[in-house]
Amino acid sequence: MMMNGQKKAAAEVAVQLPESKMVAGSMSGPFGGASGGGAAAGLRPFGRKAEVMNVLLRVLCMVTSVAAVSFMVTSQQSSTVSIYGFTLPIQSKWSFSHSFEYLVGVSAAVAAHSLLQLLISISRLLRKSPGIPSRSHAWLVFAGDQVFAYAMISAGAAASGVTNLNRTGIRHTALPNFCKPLRSFCDHVAVSIFFTFFSCFLLAASAVQEVVWLSRSKC
């Protein structure tokens, strides 16, 4: 009787032990993995390739913003124009227009923002830490990219309006096409506006990447 009882108890233990191991394994598997490594997986849903792409976007955005500033601040020229048969000297400079000054200010701010984010991304990439450490940080960067993207759109649109007026003149008046005698000035402004809109596109691409990042993060 006692021998049969011991064998039965041993059989029950032998049956129960694998079940307890299986439960422990399941607890340390999906649940333990989600709690232990969920933060790192949520902050790095795409791996190193996405972080390198983010660094490249920041580099390009900084370069295009600096180019927009450089071409605008170097846009100045002196020439002559004929109005009603009179030849008048004219001089054009970027600082004569508030729209051009606004473009320079916004582009410089975007260049500084891109440089700051670039330094942060490179430092985290070299330390092999997540490029975005938390959701709050991701939301902050996303908001900054959005604000600067809209500011670049407004600056480019305002500068485009002034440039279009310089090229077409005003109808039914003697105001001529100033871009004919001031071709170098208008070309510099046009290139600056192009880089401004390109910087806006790069900021929008960074914002989209951050939205996808946030949608796939778990913390």
Side-chain angles (χ1 to χ4, degrees), residues 3 6 11 23 36 77 156 172 204 214:
M3 292 294 293
Q6 290 178 356
V23 173
Q77 187 180 4
H172 310 298
L214 284 167

Side-chain angles (χ1 to χ4, degrees), residues 3 6 10-12 29 35 37 39 61 67 76 86 88 92 95 112 122 135 157 159 169 176 184-185 187 194 210:
M3 292 294 293
Q6 290 178 356
E12 291 177 354
S35 61
C61 188
Q76 55 182 350
F86 295 96
L88 303 175
S92 188
S95 58
I122 290 178
R135 287 179 63 88
S184 176
F185 169 79
D187 290 343
F194 168 77
E210 288 144 16

Side-chain angles (χ1 to χ4, degrees), residues 102-119:
Y102 175 57
L103 186 147
V104 169
V106 172
S107 298
V110 170
H113 168 73
S114 301
L115 177 60
L116 177 61
Q117 297 302 323
L118 176 63
L119 294 176

Side-chain angles (χ1 to χ4, degrees), residues 138-203:
W139 279 113
L140 180 62
V141 176
F142 169 74
D145 288 341
Q146 286 284 88
V147 169
F148 283 118
Y150 289 132
M152 291 292 271
I153 289 178
S154 64
S160 298
V162 176
T163 303
N164 184 62
L165 181 62
N166 289 336
R167 290 187 180 277
T168 60
I170 299 179
R171 294 181 179 179
H172 310 298
T173 67
L175 189 64
N177 179 358
F178 286 107
C179 284
K180 287 184 178 179
L182 301 172
R183 184 172 300 277
S184 176
F185 169 79
C186 290
D187 290 343
H188 275 69
V189 171
V191 174
S192 177
I193 294 173
F194 168 77
F195 280 118
T196 299
F197 283 116
F198 192 34
S199 298
C200 176
F201 170 77
L202 294 173
L203 287 170

Side-chain angles (χ1 to χ4, degrees), residues 33-62:
S35 61
L43 297 175
R44 189 178 291 161
F46 302 113
R48 286 292 175 181
K49 290 183 178 179
E51 295 175 0
V52 172
M53 179 61 66
N54 182 55
V55 170
L56 292 177
L57 287 174
R58 296 301 179 186
V59 171
L60 290 175
C61 188
M62 184 182 65

